[in-house]
Amino acid sequence: MKFFKKPGAAIFLSLLVVYLSTTISINAKLTDKCLDISDGFFVGVRVDGVDYPPVYDSVKELCSISDEMIIIAKNYGIDTEDLYYAQDWLESAMVYSPEEVSYIGSCYEDFIQQLKLVENQLLSTGLSQRHTAAMEEYSPQISSATAAVEENSAAYNETVRQFLREYDKFPTAQWADITGTSFPGYFGSL
């Protein structure tokens, strides 16, 4: 108990308590702000007074189309293993790493590359009448959904850009480093 009565120990403990409480408070508030931005991928964003739908919805639509195309492709011996795994990585990233939008974007780029490859193979294969009709439906849906992903991700990326302009500077950036807080990432390559 005599240790706590010493002025040096009291000052040290006071400084430690102030430092720890400040760090914890900043971490909590900064993490909440970062998650608000990352959540825009899943719930949509508002940029310059315009509401943009979630990127997530269009990506999930593409995954649903991919499921159907994989079934069709297997009927014609087209290798869909790379598409299957790319889709699995993408869906897993959206479920298990929702705050890592940059990683989701990377998985999306791999997925869309494989989806286009399988789509092109299907379109150049002699398909049955039923499968031809299905592909005539899926191809415009793929184009529409990828266009929506591009438009909505541009709006999402603008919210990230605005956030970084405001917070990725002294002293916030240094506090983020100290507390281990990750700033939100861009979706896809810019």
Side-chain angles (χ1 to χ4, degrees):
M1 282 310 231
K2 289 183 181 183
F3 173 76
F4 294 111
K5 292 182 180 180
K6 293 181 181 178
I11 291 172
F12 174 75
L13 287 175
S14 297
L15 291 175
L16 182 63
V17 167
V18 168
Y19 174 78
L20 288 176
S21 65
T22 301
T23 303
I24 291 169
S25 175
I26 288 173
N27 182 31
K29 290 178 183 177
L30 192 55
T31 298
D32 286 346
K33 288 187 180 290
C34 291
L35 288 176
D36 286 345
I37 299 298
S38 296
D39 285 349
F41 175 83
F42 296 94
V43 298
V45 296
R46 184 176 187 86
V47 177
D48 297 331
V50 178
D51 290 326
Y52 291 87
V55 179
Y56 173 81
D57 291 349
S58 299
V59 172
K60 284 303 287 180
E61 179 182 354
L62 287 167
C63 289
S64 295
I65 295 168
S66 172
D67 287 336
E68 299 297 323
M69 286 176 49
I70 287 172
I71 293 169
I72 294 171
K74 287 189 183 228
N75 289 311
Y76 298 94
I78 295 173
D79 182 20
T80 59
E81 187 173 335
D82 290 340
L83 174 58
Y84 173 81
Y85 286 117
Q87 179 178 340
D88 187 49
W89 279 102
L90 175 60
E91 290 177 324
S92 294
M94 290 189 296
V95 170
Y96 298 112
S97 303
E99 67 284 343
E100 309 237 358
V101 176
S102 293
Y103 176 65
I104 295 171
S106 175
C107 292
Y108 171 78
E109 289 175 1
D110 293 341
F111 164 75
I112 203 68
Q113 181 181 0
Q114 293 302 320
L115 181 66
K116 294 283 189 179
L117 181 66
V118 170
E119 178 187 20
N120 290 336
Q121 288 176 335
L122 282 168
L123 292 175
S124 64
T125 301
L127 300 175
S128 70
Q129 186 176 8
R130 180 172 59 110
H131 291 147
T132 300
M135 287 307 297
E136 287 174 354
E137 182 181 324
Y138 296 148
S139 288
Q141 288 176 346
I142 291 170
S143 296
S144 174
T146 53
V149 167
E150 288 177 25
E151 179 182 357
N152 299 333
S153 66
Y156 166 79
N157 286 341
E158 181 57 30
T159 63
V160 173
R161 196 172 293 110
Q162 290 171 358
F163 176 87
L164 292 176
R165 274 191 213 119
E166 185 175 343
Y167 290 100
D168 195 14
K169 57 187 175 184
F170 182 81
T172 313
Q174 285 67 29
W175 278 110
D177 288 339
I178 291 169
T179 61
T181 305
S182 298
F183 286 149
Y186 294 109
F187 178 81
S189 57
L190 295 176

